[in-house]
Amino acid sequence: MDIKDITQNMGYCGLVCTLCHEADKCAGCKSENNCCGRHLSDKGCFQFDCCVKKGINGCWECEDGPCDQDMFSEDHDIRNRTFVKVAKNEGIEKLAEYVLKNQKNGILYGWNKDYDNLEDEKAVINLLHNGLNSKYAKVSREVKRS
């Protein structure tokens, strides 16, 4: 896996489809083999539908993104919204670089993993930017070095 793989498989909503817990059976929301539960639900996925309608690669390309709908609502975890903001402000390649570096260092992406359940967007950004040096890193640097 490399930065290009991550950027090409970034969901419209900022999910890193390549690292999703469903990646073994789903090729991501931009593929013909999109088996995302939200997309397949009766309601569908707001971010998917909106981005396809606007002809953009993801919410980070939207003038108004991220909005407060569906995956970015207050009752959803803050990871997706924050990832979209980072991609919008720093570029999708930079976001992919952070995720890949952190993944290699044991900071795991995925449902209920290290980027989830943090207190706010600043915490997610701190973990992305600072990796093992972040106060939010759950991985011990001592363990990782051995």
Side-chain angles (χ1 to χ4, degrees):
M1 177 179 2
D2 59 16
I3 291 172
K4 183 178 178 183
D5 183 46
I6 291 175
T7 59
Q8 289 178 341
N9 292 296
M10 183 79 64
Y12 294 110
C13 66
L15 282 174
V16 182
C17 296
T18 302
L19 298 173
C20 175
H21 63 283
E22 300 283 343
D24 60 331
K25 60 184 172 188
C26 179
C29 77
K30 295 177 184 173
S31 74
E32 293 293 321
N33 183 27
N34 179 352
C35 63
C36 175
R38 186 158 314 259
H39 175 70
L40 297 177
S41 72
D42 291 339
K43 187 177 175 184
C45 177
F46 178 86
Q47 280 71 32
F48 177 94
D49 294 338
C50 184
C51 287
V52 168
K53 181 180 176 184
K54 290 180 178 181
I56 58 177
N57 292 314
C59 296
W60 55 89
E61 292 182 358
C62 180
E63 185 177 302
D64 301 319
C67 62
D68 62 357
Q69 301 293 312
D70 200 8
M71 298 289 278
F72 304 144
S73 67
E74 284 186 26
D75 61 335
H76 204 274
D77 87 55
I78 57 174
R79 171 180 28 107
N80 296 26
R81 182 175 59 245
T82 306
F83 274 36
V84 166
K85 285 183 178 181
V86 170
K88 189 172 193 167
N89 293 331
E90 299 180 46
I92 191 166
E93 291 83 9
K94 193 67 176 174
L95 172 63
E97 181 183 316
Y98 293 139
V99 171
L100 185 62
K101 178 181 177 188
N102 286 345
Q103 190 80 11
K104 287 179 179 177
N105 286 324
I107 297 172
L108 302 180
Y109 175 88
W111 182 71
N112 229 9
K113 301 284 189 211
D114 295 321
Y115 297 101
D116 289 351
N117 307 312
L118 294 174
E119 58 196 50
D120 56 28
E121 290 180 10
K122 288 181 182 180
V124 176
I125 291 170
N126 185 288
L127 184 57
L128 274 170
H129 286 173
N130 298 308
L132 291 176
N133 293 319
S134 170
K135 67 181 180 179
Y136 302 101
K138 296 175 187 171
V139 177
S140 166
R141 286 185 288 238
E142 299 307 316
V143 171
K144 193 61 191 165
R145 286 185 185 146
S146 50

